[in-house]
Amino acid sequence: MIDWHEEFTIEEKIAHAKATYKIEGALTGQIQVDYSIYYLNYNKEEIHASSSRFEGFMLFEGNIGEKQGSFVLYDRGSFINNQYEANVSIVKGSGTGEFFDISGEGTYYPANDGMLLELKTNIGE
């Protein structure tokens, strides 16, 4: 993660967060995210002990193999009872550059050094 900024819009219930992530692997580049987060329970002393549901959008800018461009992912998930679940889908028509006709979906979850994104894509020819 490069940056994370979160602030409550409704005291300890609903928050807005913006973040920037570096991404490496089959996808290489940067992801900017904008989330709305609903806290089922919020723990000030230990944030990772909180439970929440979230929804938002991710803008990926970078490469998939030799192809370059950007696209937007719709992201929705939850962190409840220390169990993480997140699903993403590429927003139709959001692709630019060589991702003009991209589609796909996937999931991501915590890994040793951050998050692991598993994204199945179809890039039109």
Side-chain angles (χ1 to χ4, degrees), residues 28 60-72 90 93-103 121-125:
T28 304
F60 169 77
E61 297 175 294
N63 299 336
I64 300 177
E66 298 295 317
K67 297 190 181 214
Q68 184 174 21
S70 68
F71 56 86
V72 173
I90 297 174
S94 68
T96 68
E98 294 176 281
F99 303 140
F100 179 77
D101 196 21
I102 194 169
S103 62
T121 60
N122 181 18
I123 303 173
E125 298 298 318

Side-chain angles (χ1 to χ4, degrees), residues 40-122:
L40 296 133
N41 69 325
Y42 180 70
N43 185 324
K44 282 184 200 180
E45 289 75 35
E46 180 55 48
I47 188 69
H48 293 102
S50 300
S51 291
S52 64
R53 295 191 183 279
F54 56 89
E55 182 171 296
F57 292 94
M58 302 175 158
L59 171 63
F60 169 77
E61 297 175 294
N63 299 336
I64 300 177
E66 298 295 317
K67 297 190 181 214
Q68 184 174 21
S70 68
F71 56 86
V72 173
L73 293 157
Y74 171 58
D75 180 6
R76 65 235 172 260
S78 62
F79 184 76
I80 300 173
N81 297 325
N82 212 28
Q83 297 294 312
Y84 197 87
E85 180 181 315
N87 296 290
V88 295
S89 58
I90 297 174
V91 175
K92 185 176 180 167
S94 68
T96 68
E98 294 176 281
F99 303 140
F100 179 77
D101 196 21
I102 194 169
S103 62
E105 57 187 32
T107 188
Y108 63 92
Y109 48 88
N112 291 337
D113 297 332
M115 301 296 268
L116 180 61
L117 172 65
E118 293 180 348
L119 184 64
K120 293 182 182 181
T121 60
N122 181 18

Side-chain angles (χ1 to χ4, degrees), residues 10-24:
I10 298 177
E11 190 61 32
E12 295 187 2
K13 276 296 182 193
I14 298 175
H16 182 250
K18 291 184 177 187
T20 304
Y21 296 94
K22 179 180 176 184
I23 187 163
E24 299 173 338

